[in-house]
Each structure stands twice: as C-alpha cells, then as structure tokens.
Amino acid sequence: MDLITPGLGLVFWSVITFLILLLVLKKFAWKPILGAVDERETGIKNALEAADKARKEMENLKADNERILNEARAEREAMLKDARDIKNKMVSDAKEEAQQQATKMITQAQEAIENEKRSAMAELKNHVASLSIEIAEKVVRQELGNKDKQLELVESMLSDAKLN
Amino acid sequence: MCTFARNLEQGIFKLFIMTLNTLRAVLFLVFSVAVTNFGFASQDNEDQDKGFNAKEMIMHHVKDAHEFHIVDWDNKPISIPLPIILFTDNGLTTFMSSEFHHDDSGTHIVEKNGERFVKYHEKIYQLESGVDTLTFDEELHPTNAKLPLDFSITKNVFMMWVSVLVILLIFISAASKYKKSNNFMPRGIASFVEPLVVFIRDEVAIPMIGEKKYRRYMPFLLSVFFFIWVNNIFGLIPILNGANVSGNIAFTVSLAFFTFIITSFSGNKNYWKHIFWMPGVPVPMKIFLMPIEIVGMFVKPISLTIRLFANITAGHIIILSLMSLIFIFESVAIAPVSVGFSLFILIIEIVVTAIQAYIFTVLSALYIGTATEEEHH
Amino acid sequence: MTITGIAAIGAGIAVIGAGMGIGKIGESAMNAMARQPEIQGKLQTSALILAAFVEAVALFGVVASLIV
C-alpha cells in the first residue's frame, strides 16, 4: 500500500522539475535542434526539387537539340535533293540543247552542201555550155580552112577537152 | 528485400522483448511471493537471529529515502545527508537528514523550534507534545504522532535533479553544435541526439497527432521521453540503485498529470462531444456511454502512471530478489546463479528503459492525438 | 495462507491472462507482417501499443495485489 501512495513532496518536486526542464529544453534545445533539422530537410527538399527541375530542363534542352538536329538533317536532305534535281535538269537541258545544236548544225551543213552542190552544178553547166560554144566556134573556124586540118583540130580539141 | 529482412529481424526482436517482459512479470510474481514468505520467515525468527530480511531490504531500496545511503561499512552506514523541509502547524522547519543519525526506527528525536520529529520507515513524524516514544496500532502505524507536510529534498528528488542536469548538459550542448556548423549538419553529440529526436518526431508525433498539429506538442513529447529514459537508466546503475525515481508512483503520476492536462486543454469540440454525447448512437446508448467515457478519460493517465511505475519497480524488485537469494541461502554456491540471472534481467531492463519511455511517449501522443482529431464524417 | 499470498495468486492469474494476450498480439502481428511486409513499421508500432494496453491490465492486477 505504501508503495503505491504517491508522496506529496515528490509529486511537488517532480512537477516543478519537469516544468522547468520542459521550458528550458523547449527554449534552448528543442527549438534549435528541430529548427536545424527542419531547415536542413527543407534545404534537401529544395535541392532535390532544383535538381529535378534542372533534369527536366536538361531533358527539354535535349529534346530541343534533337528537334533542331532533325530539322537540320531534313533541311540538308531537301537541299541535296534540290541540288540533285537542278543538276539533273541542267544535264538534261544541256543534252537537249546539244542535241538541238547538233541537229541544227547538221541541217545547216546539209543545206550548205546542197547549195554548194547546186552552185557547182550550175557552174559546171555554164562551163560545159561555154566550152561547147568554144569548141563549136573553133570547129567552125577550122572547117573553113582545110578539111584535114579541121579533123586534126577537132582531134586536138577533144584531147584538150579530155585534159581539162 | 534486404530492408524487409532487417525489419523482420527488428520485429522479431521487439516481440522477443515483449515475451521477455511477460516472463519478467511472471518472475516478479514468483520472487515477490518467495521473498515475502522468506521475509515473514525471517521476521518470525527475528528474536533469535538478526538475519537478513529480503523484503525489508528490497522495500528500502525501491522506496524513497531522506538520505542518500551508499553502503554499510563496518556496520556503520555511509550516506550523503540531504535537506529535510517540513511544513508543520507552526510553519517551515528545515534541517539536514544527518541529524537523525541514520535512525529509521523512530527512536532518535530531533528537536527544532520546540517541535520534535522522529523518522520511522522513511517517514518523518511530528511527535505530539509530551510523548517520547512512538506507540503503534496493530498495523504498525504510529498512533501518537502526525505527519507534517514533507517537501524534503529526498534521494529521488536529488537524483531527479542530477538527471535533469545530465539531460540539460546533453541537449543544450547538442543544440549548440548546430549553431557552430554550417549547413545545419549535426556534429559530435548532436549526431547521437538527432536520430532520437527525429525518431520521436517521425514515429511518434506525426503518426499519432498528425502532420498539421504535431509541432505544438513536440517539446512535451521529447522532454517526457528523455526525462523518463534517463531516469530509468539512472535507476539501473547499481551504486545509485536506491534512487528508483521512475519507479516511484509520485514521479509517474506527475508526468501522467501533465499528459492529462495537455490532453484536456487541447481537446477540441469533437473530443468532448465524443465523451459527453457520443455522436451516431441512439440516445439511451449516449447516456450509457457517458459515464464510461468519463471514467476512461481518467483511466488513461492512471494506466500511464501504473504502467511505468510497475514496470520499473518490478525490474528493480526482480534484480534485488535474485541478489537476495545469496543472503537468504547464506551460501556462496548460489552466487553464480544469482549473478547470472541478475545480469540477464539487467540486460532486459536496459531495453525496457527505452521501451517504457517510448510507450509512455507514444500513448501520450495517442491521447493528445485523439483529443485534437478533427471530425471526419 | 496470508492475504498477501492470496493477492499474489490473484496477480499471477492476471499475468497469465496478459501473457496469453500479448502472445496472441505477437502471433497476429507476425502473421500480418508475413502477409504484408510493406506496412511492417505501422504493425510494429500498433503491436507494441496493444501489448502495452494488455500489459496495463495485468499491471492493474499486480497493483491490486500490492494494495492489500
């Protein structure tokens, strides 16, 4: 019975002591310790958040880079294609032109040849005509002198004509 | 998986401790019966031989005392005298406990300001005028003396103050470590203290009271946890063994009183409604539940008081009983068994110091939590 | 037998009850932990608190035996 009867004195001193302990510890121990722990935890939280943000930004940046790279690649592709097209066009154009030129030149040449041929024919005709007239003239002149002579003349004339 | 295994290990350990606790309670009963009987036996033989009285020795160690008795040397007790502060009908009377000359049988009379005091079984009696010796009734209570109000600095008060000094030294120096370090990193003793503080916050205050309101109650919970723990540990140190502070019901009732006051003052409308007019049940049931709830309100701090007191006192009694066996059997042969068992119980007690402090704190937090809980339906 | 002896027997009966109660709590807690290891921390805390409540009942018995 004695054991479980609280003594008034000890109750009094316990209450006083605990009250003082509580107040002193609250002010000089728990406040700084809990404050520091809180401060550190918020610090860590903030740091983690910042890291997370940075990582996200990094990811965004990477995605951006990827996009830009892709765009550049596409552009290059397009440019190459254009260039190839232009080249092909130029080549085909040139070919065509050359073809045309060649055809034109050939036609011109053919025309020129034709003309030359025609003029040569005309000259030949003229020449043959004048030669015939000349021969006729000479023949006529010889016939007038001597028969033999005439024959001779014709003979020589003919050989001349052959040489010519 | 690894953490699971570790947690399981811890869980098994805790359950093991619980089982040991029960075992301890059984041992406590066995020994208290055994020692009581031996005590009676030796009391019967007291005339022939002034032998060892286990019950008296144990009770002397478990109870409070007016002087700090360290050891008996050559049949003379060596002890630290402590001040005695009494409020009698004539007012305050103070003197040192050494004036009783270690007498505890009520024969040595100390006279102060015309008032005469004797000490009998660690209680100070004021003798009625004209009486020189105490007379007793059948239950050995003095009949011709009265008890003045005793506010003495007893052994327990003295040890309590020592523990307060230790606590202040540890925690204030720990707190000052944070000021010196940048980044609020714990250094030195702070790195030992911080996990405990964070443990109380994360495992006790936040789950029991809730994220929103726990801050207000942290100082109380932390103070009560460390106050109990340090006093429990001090109670286990053999040379201070008499100072059974946390196993004294006056100490535990004071702390439970704080819990009760805080619970009642922070109780919101919802809490009081649940006590006086339980919502959600029919009216006859409301009337039936009201007295139960009111009794429950007081049983909570009482159970806190009893739990701590009984656990710690039981531990002390078991250890002392085991030690007493040597002197009861008056044989050295029993000493190894006694010491072995005592060591075993002492190791359990070391764990119990922390568990009881933790349970007191958890239950305080739980009661505060129920008192501050918001209505949620 | 003295009144003290009878009181001790009464307290002993209270302790048997508490022992069984705490054993049951331990058993259920272990089962629950094995089933749901993820809520182990909570289980441990509640098991400890419940054990404390059961223990309190036994302690009331012991204290009752101390009173007589």
Side-chain angles (χ1 to χ4, degrees):
Chain A
M1 189 66 209
D2 223 19
L3 206 56
I4 56 158
T5 320
L8 182 67
L10 192 52
V11 169
F12 172 77
W13 287 118
S14 297
V15 169
I16 297 285
T17 311
F18 184 70
L19 213 58
I20 292 167
L21 182 77
L22 181 63
L23 294 177
V24 173
L25 280 182
K26 189 180 174 180
K27 190 158 193 303
F28 295 107
W30 307 138
K31 225 175 173 181
I33 291 175
L34 287 172
V37 170
D38 266 6
E39 204 82 33
R40 199 170 64 239
E41 274 172 3
T42 42
I44 289 169
K45 215 175 116 200
N46 287 346
L48 279 177
E49 268 170 12
D52 214 42
K53 223 171 115 190
R55 214 193 60 222
K56 262 187 196 147
E57 248 164 47
M58 195 72 177
E59 259 166 28
N60 280 350
L61 220 69
K62 232 166 112 185
D64 262 15
N65 275 351
E66 196 81 2
R67 196 171 48 80
I68 287 168
L69 215 70
N70 276 342
E71 268 174 20
R73 205 172 288 139
E75 210 168 319
R76 196 194 60 183
E77 208 75 3
M79 272 162 84
L80 276 174
K81 199 168 157 271
D82 278 3
R84 210 177 294 123
D85 283 358
I86 289 168
K87 187 196 79 181
N88 285 349
K89 200 166 162 265
M90 269 165 83
V91 167
S92 62
D93 278 5
K95 264 186 188 163
E96 210 170 306
E97 209 175 327
Q99 195 79 33
Q100 274 176 6
Q101 205 77 21
T103 331
K104 211 168 136 195
M105 271 163 82
I106 288 165
T107 359
Q108 271 175 0
Q110 274 173 345
E111 263 169 35
I113 290 165
E114 201 71 21
N115 285 348
E116 283 302 305
K117 205 170 93 189
R118 221 174 282 138
S119 65
M121 284 292 250
E123 205 176 323
L124 198 60
K125 269 176 198 165
N126 287 346
H127 204 71
V128 169
S130 61
L131 203 61
S132 309
I133 292 164
E134 220 175 295
I135 292 166
E137 194 189 292
K138 273 185 187 160
V139 168
V140 170
R141 225 171 263 157
Q142 284 290 325
E143 255 177 26
L144 291 167
N146 187 326
K147 205 158 176 193
D148 291 339
K149 285 275 179 160
Q150 270 182 324
L151 276 172
E152 233 178 290
L153 190 66
V154 169
E155 203 81 26
S156 72
M157 277 295 159
L158 277 172
S159 67
D160 269 7
K162 226 178 243 175
L163 276 172
N164 211 352
Chain B
M1 204 55 212
C2 184
T3 49
F4 167 63
R6 208 184 55 227
N7 285 346
L8 196 68
E9 225 167 80
Q10 284 172 355
I12 291 167
F13 180 66
K14 277 185 191 169
L15 290 168
F16 173 65
I17 293 301
M18 275 186 226
T19 323
L20 283 182
N21 246 339
T22 319
L23 182 71
R24 208 179 51 135
V26 175
L27 271 178
F28 165 58
L29 282 165
V30 170
F31 278 109
S32 56
V33 172
V35 168
T36 312
N37 290 343
F38 274 115
F40 282 131
S42 54
Q43 239 168 19
D44 295 340
N45 305 337
E46 214 159 15
D47 297 334
Q48 296 111 311
D49 121 73
K50 296 250 174 182
F52 173 74
N53 184 336
K55 188 185 178 189
E56 206 171 79
M57 185 277 278
I58 290 169
M59 283 304 149
H60 172 75
H61 273 269
V62 166
K63 278 190 201 164
D64 204 355
H66 282 91
E67 58 182 5
F68 208 123
H69 177 247
I70 294 168
V71 71
D72 272 344
W73 191 265
D74 204 12
N75 271 337
K76 282 191 197 103
I78 297 170
S79 60
I80 304 166
L82 294 166
I84 287 171
I85 303 162
L86 299 170
F87 275 102
T88 58
D89 296 338
N90 302 336
L92 186 70
T93 312
T94 55
F95 54 95
M96 291 306 281
S97 66
S98 51
E99 293 192 32
F100 282 115
H101 295 285
H102 314 297
D103 169 58
D104 195 32
S105 54
T107 47
H108 189 94
I109 300 169
V110 174
E111 197 163 343
K112 289 277 161 191
N113 312 331
E115 297 161 314
R116 290 173 310 152
F117 302 100
V118 289
K119 188 152 73 80
Y120 174 68
H121 284 190
E122 284 309 334
K123 276 187 179 149
I124 292 168
Y125 291 91
Q126 186 182 4
L127 289 174
E128 285 166 4
S129 50
V131 185
D132 283 338
T133 47
L134 282 174
T135 51
F136 304 101
D137 59 12
E138 292 117 41
E139 287 177 333
L140 294 172
H141 291 146
T143 49
N144 57 353
K146 57 182 177 178
L147 284 164
L149 290 178
D150 187 352
F151 289 98
S152 306
I153 309 303
T154 56
K155 189 169 72 176
N156 281 352
V157 177
F158 178 75
M159 275 318 291
M160 194 160 65
W161 287 353
V162 172
S163 75
V164 164
L165 277 183
V166 169
I167 292 170
L168 289 179
L169 204 71
I170 291 173
F171 288 97
I172 292 177
S173 64
S176 68
K177 293 272 187 230
Y178 285 100
K179 278 181 204 149
K180 284 178 206 149
S181 78
N182 45 350
N183 276 342
F184 304 105
M185 287 309 284
R187 285 185 316 149
I189 194 144
S191 54
F192 164 73
V193 161
E194 198 194 289
L196 296 168
V197 172
V198 172
F199 170 78
I200 294 293
R201 192 193 61 176
D202 290 350
E203 303 294 323
V204 177
I206 292 177
M208 297 297 164
I209 302 176
E211 193 81 54
K212 276 186 229 155
K213 295 174 186 158
Y214 81 96
R215 266 167 219 282
R216 271 184 70 191
Y217 305 104
M218 275 306 281
F220 170 70
L221 295 176
L222 286 167
S223 305
V224 93
F225 177 73
F226 289 111
F227 195 33
I228 293 172
W229 195 15
V230 170
N231 273 308
N232 284 351
I233 290 170
F234 273 24
L236 287 183
I237 300 171
I239 197 89
L240 313 172
N241 205 4
N244 178 22
V245 182
S246 51
N248 193 301
I249 200 153
F251 175 82
T252 59
V253 85
S254 313
L255 294 181
F257 169 74
F258 275 97
T259 305
F260 177 68
I261 291 288
I262 289 173
T263 312
S264 302
F265 275 93
S266 55
N268 55 15
K269 216 176 97 193
N270 190 29
Y271 171 67
W272 294 113
K273 208 164 79 185
H274 271 80
I275 286 176
F276 289 111
W277 209 240
M278 181 69 81
V281 294
V283 174
M285 201 62 192
K286 282 183 205 279
I287 294 164
F288 177 69
L289 278 177
M290 188 165 67
I292 294 176
E293 287 287 335
I294 291 171
V295 169
M297 199 170 91
F298 293 103
V299 164
K300 282 172 183 176
I302 291 170
S303 75
L304 280 182
T305 309
I306 302 284
R307 182 178 300 110
L308 183 57
F309 151 75
N311 265 291
I312 303 303
T313 305
H316 283 235
I317 290 176
I318 294 170
I319 292 169
L320 292 169
S321 307
L322 285 165
M323 282 302 173
S324 301
L325 289 179
I326 302 171
F327 303 99
I328 289 167
F329 290 110
E330 289 179 334
S331 142
V332 186
I334 204 91
V337 182
S338 256
V339 172
F341 269 111
S342 297
L343 181 66
F344 172 64
I345 297 292
L346 203 59
I347 289 166
I348 297 176
E349 282 306 309
I350 289 169
V351 183
V352 167
T353 57
I355 287 188
Q356 287 308 319
Y358 169 71
I359 284 180
F360 194 101
T361 317
V362 165
L363 292 180
S364 295
L366 187 72
Y367 298 153
I368 294 169
T370 36
T372 56
E373 199 176 22
E374 293 295 331
E375 206 170 355
H376 47 68
H377 45 78
Chain C
M1 194 187 280
T2 56
I3 186 87
T4 327
I6 296 167
I9 289 170
I13 293 167
V15 166
I16 291 170
M20 282 163 69
I22 294 174
K24 191 87 184 102
I25 290 168
E27 182 204 333
S28 319
M30 285 307 288
N31 275 336
M33 276 179 210
R35 276 183 204 193
Q36 274 172 291
E38 63 275 6
I39 54 164
Q40 209 163 18
K42 269 185 187 173
L43 280 172
Q44 271 168 23
T45 314
S46 10
L48 218 58
I49 291 170
L50 288 171
F53 281 135
V54 173
E55 196 186 40
V57 176
L59 291 176
F60 283 142
V62 172
V63 167
S65 80
L66 284 175
I67 287 172
V68 293

